[in-house]
Amino acid sequence: MKKNKRFIIRRMVFFLIVLINLTSCSNKEEKSADGRVVIEFFNQKKEMVDTLEEIVKDFEKENPDIKVNMTSVPDAGTVLKTRMLAGDSPDIVNIYPQNMDFKEWAKAGYFKDLSEASYLSNIVNDYEKKYAIDGKIYNVPLSANFYCIYYNKTKFDELGLKVPETWKEFKKLVEDIKAKGEVPFAVAGSEGWTLNGYHQLSLINITGSDEGANDYLRYSEVNSINENDDTLVKDSEYLDLLADKGNAQRNWEGASYNDSVVAYATEKSLMLAGGSWVLAAISQQNPEFEVATFAFPGVNKGEEVTVGAGDLALSISENTKHPEEADRFLEYMTSKEAMQKYYDVDGSPVAVKGVKENEDSPLAPLYKLAFTDRHYVWLGQEWNSEEDFFQATTNYLLTQDRAQLAKELNAFFNPMKASNKKE
């Protein structure tokens, strides 16, 4: 009996703690002290908090009847999931539309259908349609990330090296760099997620599209990935460009993400494969050379590609008590005034018409691909996890064992194939 009482007390304490945590993470009021309608904006872009707060203030000046409470918390993804499942959805949510959580919640009716919103006309190339669920729009992507190759332009110019326009030229560039006594790549061998974009772009190049890559990986028959099939043979050649002896900095096998950035920024290597988000980390190292980028080269000239997804991307809760005010905020966020202020700090491509991009940005060569049919969405949008794919990529670079790569990819994708229905 005493044990049961102790158990009940422990359970009550547990649920009380959960309730307190949820309350502390929620930022909801119905009316402010001065009578304004209050809406909550849940933000996951912690590095952009200051800029977003400025944008919120600009919105409030133009909409004096509305007060926006912005919520920015540590481990925002976990907090959001907890709140959504507890029925405590923020009015406006910054959520990544390629993620499985978003898709499941949209299908379950957690988000407002925005398909008829007039402000969608402000979005470049109908980019929001890439994330449509059953033909309906539940999310407005305002900016996006992408994956590219960073290079030391100063050193390239000094050594007479040229940016490659084809895969064949990329391979030759690596050999030319080594021939001149330099190291081609900075690689984070201990953090497989940093190589995710490179590996995905390899498979997209080989199969011709993101759909082709997932047809090979995700929607093929169980155990169909074979060490001797043409796709995996070619894929290993792409990965070998990073893994072959002398192609990466010393001790790359145990290097962290930060180690790879430092190796590139301190000129221990001339190139680094990474996402648009890496630029900020590189800049913090104050490199003494001109940083530049190029897109992942295609098989033929003019076929270069990138991969990425919506970054600052907003949805409105279906259960918001203030749908009109939430809609007005989202409309404001699709304005060039709001997103120009955002771009000027973040630097990632913006999907809102009228925003002027900096032609001198190191990321400028990738802007022309952003929001086009050569800006593919992360393949993981159709997977139920990614970690084992990251690990398989890292393991191959360490061993260059194609048979083991095939085995690990089959082990990762086989369980997903139990239901091989495409979305």
Side-chain angles (χ1 to χ4, degrees):
M1 186 69 177
K2 288 182 178 180
K3 286 185 178 180
N4 286 340
K5 284 184 177 179
R6 285 199 297 268
F7 175 78
I8 292 170
I9 291 170
R10 284 199 300 268
R11 296 295 290 175
M12 290 175 67
V13 170
F14 170 77
F15 284 116
L16 181 61
I17 291 171
V18 170
L19 182 61
I20 291 171
N21 284 339
L22 283 174
T23 303
S24 66
C25 290
S26 181
N27 200 4
K28 287 190 174 181
E29 303 173 54
E30 292 305 316
K31 290 273 187 178
S32 64
D34 55 6
R36 291 182 292 169
V37 171
V38 177
I39 56 175
E40 181 189 6
F41 167 34
F42 189 94
N43 167 50
Q44 296 200 63
K45 297 287 294 175
K46 61 182 180 180
E47 72 277 13
M48 292 298 291
V49 166
D50 292 345
T51 302
L52 286 169
E53 284 180 345
E54 288 184 25
I55 293 172
V56 164
K57 289 177 182 176
D58 292 341
F59 168 79
E60 290 176 339
K61 287 178 183 177
E62 292 191 17
N63 297 269
D65 58 324
I66 303 174
K67 182 179 186 296
V68 178
N69 283 344
M70 186 169 73
T71 300
S72 298
V73 294
D75 198 12
T78 301
V79 171
L80 178 62
K81 189 169 188 175
T82 302
R83 289 185 57 182
M84 295 293 288
L85 296 178
D88 182 31
S89 174
D91 300 294
I92 299 151
V93 183
N94 169 203
I95 186 168
Y96 305 115
Q98 74 278 11
N99 286 1
M100 192 62 68
D101 282 346
F102 165 75
K103 294 182 177 183
E104 290 177 353
W105 294 339
K107 289 178 181 178
Y110 285 36
F111 298 123
K112 181 181 176 183
D113 180 3
L114 304 172
S115 303
E116 301 303 318
S118 61
Y119 46 76
L120 292 181
S121 63
N122 296 338
I123 304 301
V124 173
N125 294 343
D126 297 324
Y127 187 59
E128 75 284 354
K129 292 181 180 178
K130 281 209 172 192
Y131 306 102
I133 306 293
D134 297 329
K136 295 181 179 180
I137 306 301
Y138 295 97
N139 182 272
V140 182
L142 303 172
S143 72
N145 53 46
F146 53 70
Y147 202 87
C148 58
I149 309 295
Y150 291 87
Y151 71 99
N152 181 331
K153 187 177 186 304
T154 304
K155 203 73 172 181
F156 266 49
D157 292 345
E158 179 185 316
L159 299 175
L161 300 168
K162 294 183 179 180
V163 169
E165 296 184 281
T166 65
W167 171 246
K168 186 177 180 180
E169 289 180 7
F170 196 15
K171 290 173 66 178
K172 184 178 183 302
L173 170 65
V174 170
E175 293 305 314
D176 289 344
I177 289 173
K178 288 196 292 184
K180 293 179 183 294
E182 300 286 349
V183 176
F185 292 103
V187 175
S190 72
E191 297 193 46
W193 67 270
T194 64
L195 306 168
N196 182 40
Y198 184 97
H199 198 179
Q200 290 196 21
L201 287 168
S202 163
L203 290 159
I204 288 169
N205 253 0
I206 294 163
T207 61
S209 68
D210 54 349
E211 184 176 1
N214 263 328
D215 281 345
Y216 172 75
L217 295 170
R218 167 70 179 82
Y219 296 109
S220 55
E221 296 297 319
V222 170
N223 288 325
S224 64
I225 300 172
N226 186 281
E227 64 174 300
N228 296 316
D229 69 50
D230 288 344
T231 298
L232 202 66
V233 169
K234 290 177 181 176
D235 184 40
S236 66
E237 292 175 2
Y238 277 71
L239 296 175
D240 286 342
L241 198 63
L242 299 176
D244 280 348
K245 186 176 180 180
N247 286 11
Q249 82 277 20
R250 287 184 59 188
N251 301 320
W252 67 266
E253 298 90 343
S256 67
Y257 165 62
N258 188 64
D259 292 335
S260 67
V261 171
V262 171
Y264 169 73
T266 56
E267 302 189 70
K268 289 183 173 62
S269 67
L270 299 193
M271 295 185 291
L272 182 151
S276 48
W277 56 87
V278 181
L279 181 59
I282 293 171
S283 298
Q284 287 174 1
Q285 297 296 323
N286 296 312
E288 296 180 356
F289 60 86
E290 183 178 351
V291 176
T293 60
F294 60 86
F296 200 84
V299 176
N300 301 305
K301 185 176 179 179
E303 294 178 352
E304 64 273 17
V305 291
T306 189
V307 64
D311 201 28
L312 179 65
L314 306 183
S315 296
I316 295 177
S317 171
E318 178 64 31
N319 296 324
T320 178
K321 294 181 180 179
H322 307 292
E324 180 186 342
E325 288 79 6
D327 210 51
R328 282 162 62 185
F329 180 72
L330 193 42
E331 181 177 20
Y332 181 80
M333 291 301 295
T334 65
S335 70
K336 63 182 181 181
E337 291 78 14
M339 289 310 297
Q340 185 70 59
K341 180 169 285 191
Y342 187 90
Y343 167 81
D344 289 344
V345 176
D346 183 64
S348 294
V350 168
V352 173
K353 295 175 182 176
V355 173
K356 294 182 179 179
E357 296 170 334
N358 178 9
E359 296 179 357
D360 296 324
S361 168
L363 301 174
L366 275 293
Y367 290 161
K368 66 180 181 180
L369 298 183
F371 317 118
T372 71
D373 57 3
R374 286 188 285 153
H375 184 190
Y376 292 103
V377 177
W378 296 108
L379 301 181
Q381 68 171 331
E382 298 187 36
W383 309 345
N384 56 25
S385 65
E386 292 182 304
E387 290 298 328
D388 288 348
F389 182 80
F390 301 163
Q391 192 60 52
T393 303
T394 299
N395 289 345
Y396 179 80
L397 263 61
L398 294 171
T399 65
Q400 293 184 279
D401 184 338
R402 194 166 65 243
Q404 183 64 24
L405 176 61
K407 182 179 179 180
E408 291 183 20
L409 290 176
N410 280 322
F412 175 55
F413 287 105
N414 279 349
M416 299 183 209
K417 297 176 181 180
S419 174
N420 239 353
K421 183 181 178 182
K422 288 187 179 182
E423 293 293 334

